[in-house]
Amino acid sequence: MLELADPWMLLLLPLPVLAMRLWVTAQMVGGAITVPDRIGGALIAAGARRAGSTGLQLRQSVLWAIWGLLLLAAAGPRDLAPVSALKVTGRDLAIVLDLSGSMVRDDFYLDDRQITRLEAVTTVGADFARRRGGDRVALIVFGSEAYYAAPFTFDVEAIAKRIEGATIGISGRATNISDGLGLAIKRMADSAAASRVVILLSDGVNNAGATNPRGVAELAARNGIRVHTIAMGPKDLSTAELGERGVVDAATLRAIAEISGGESFRVKTTDDLAAVAEALDRLEATDSDGLAAEVFRDYWVWPAGLAVCLGLWLGWRELS
């Protein structure tokens, strides 16, 4: 429904009349010239003819129209634009992503095409992030060191694009699970969110940092932070041959989840990874009525533009 943001501006509509009355009064104060009655009568008659002419009436009407349109524009005509309610879950969710050197291994398949572990994670992980509407999501990446790749935000599309742009080597090539999880806990420690969740994905064995991952999981539990872990890779440390590379320590990741009250997932294929994303959607549902935002569509430009056009037309008419 159309409304005015500042309707009191229309109270200025009679201002030109008041100004003219004051100006005429001021003009009458002063000297006068005496002329013969015949000449004075002729001047009065000529003035009356000009005042009654169609041209003068049209000019005055156009000026009044311009004034009215400018006041209407200043009053701010607008209506309420339809805006979808923003879902707000009251949850902070940190995605902690392993970018160690082992993520370059091409032992996953997507659409019958062999891809690297990183490609699998960025494809499915970005889609998962896009479905987190209503959550405040952050991205943390780790290799030898852990880095805060994106702060907590409701802009899940920005997080998804950061995941899609993730590259190996920026954080080192080792696997420092403890620091990655620890940085997430540190960032969430002072959060006032009703629910705080970490999604930790790794494809290796913790081989960097001075902290035990299980000890960090206990810290998460004490802070009320739930950690879901994803062990990614075809081969498990418990069943792999001695010294074999590119294996995942599923037992440690499972222990992290159990200690913190989360769930643990084992991923060997891209189908498994997609299934995990769906399972996490169910565990951390984002269903909410949301908060409605009032966003107005402004229409002041139309009366203002029409006033400008009338002014240009009147100026052209006066000069022609």
Side-chain angles (χ1 to χ4, degrees), residues 31 38 43 76 97 120 122 137 145 148 166 186 208 216-217 224 231 240 257 262 274 276 312:
R38 183 178 179 184
L43 290 174
L97 187 60
T122 54
V137 185
E145 305 289 341
Y148 204 40
K186 181 180 179 180
V216 181
V276 167
L312 292 174

Side-chain angles (χ1 to χ4, degrees), residues 163-179:
I163 293 174
E164 290 173 338
T167 56
I168 297 171
I170 190 172
S171 55
R173 302 185 72 85
T175 305
N176 192 345
I177 297 174
S178 300
D179 280 9

Side-chain angles (χ1 to χ4, degrees), residues 40-217:
L43 290 174
I44 293 173
R49 285 194 300 271
R50 286 197 300 271
S53 66
T54 304
L56 183 58
Q57 290 179 355
L58 177 62
R59 182 175 182 273
Q60 289 178 341
S61 298
V62 171
L63 288 175
W64 273 108
I66 292 173
W67 175 243
L69 288 168
L70 289 176
L71 286 182
L72 180 60
R78 63 184 186 177
D79 69 354
L80 191 63
V83 178
S84 301
L86 174 65
K87 294 180 178 179
V88 178
T89 64
R91 174 171 46 240
D92 282 354
L93 187 146
I95 299 174
V96 182
L97 187 60
D98 185 348
L99 291 184
S100 60
S102 57
M103 292 291 285
V104 76
R105 292 179 178 272
D106 54 353
D107 49 11
F108 272 68
Y109 287 85
L110 179 65
D111 298 329
D112 298 325
R113 180 174 60 90
Q114 193 169 10
I115 62 174
T116 65
R117 298 178 182 182
L118 179 64
E119 288 179 281
V121 169
T122 54
T123 300
V124 180
D127 181 63
F128 170 75
R130 288 188 173 97
R131 294 201 298 264
R132 304 316 307 168
D135 287 349
R136 232 172 43 115
V137 185
L139 176 63
I140 294 168
V141 299
F142 69 91
S144 304
E145 305 289 341
Y147 296 95
Y148 204 40
F152 281 100
T153 177
F154 288 108
D155 188 356
V156 293
E157 180 63 28
I159 299 294
K161 289 186 179 300
R162 286 293 182 93
I163 293 174
E164 290 173 338
T167 56
I168 297 171
I170 190 172
S171 55
R173 302 185 72 85
T175 305
N176 192 345
I177 297 174
S178 300
D179 280 9
L181 180 56
L183 181 57
I185 295 171
K186 181 180 179 180
R187 292 291 184 176
M188 302 174 84
D190 297 328
S191 171
S195 176
R196 292 172 293 171
V197 179
V198 175
I199 308 294
L200 170 63
L201 186 147
S202 178
D203 73 331
V205 180
N206 188 73
N207 55 17
T211 309
N212 187 304
R214 286 177 171 83
V216 181

Side-chain angles (χ1 to χ4, degrees), residues 32-44:
I33 183 171
T34 302
V35 297
D37 292 342
R38 183 178 179 184
I39 296 176
L43 290 174
I44 293 173

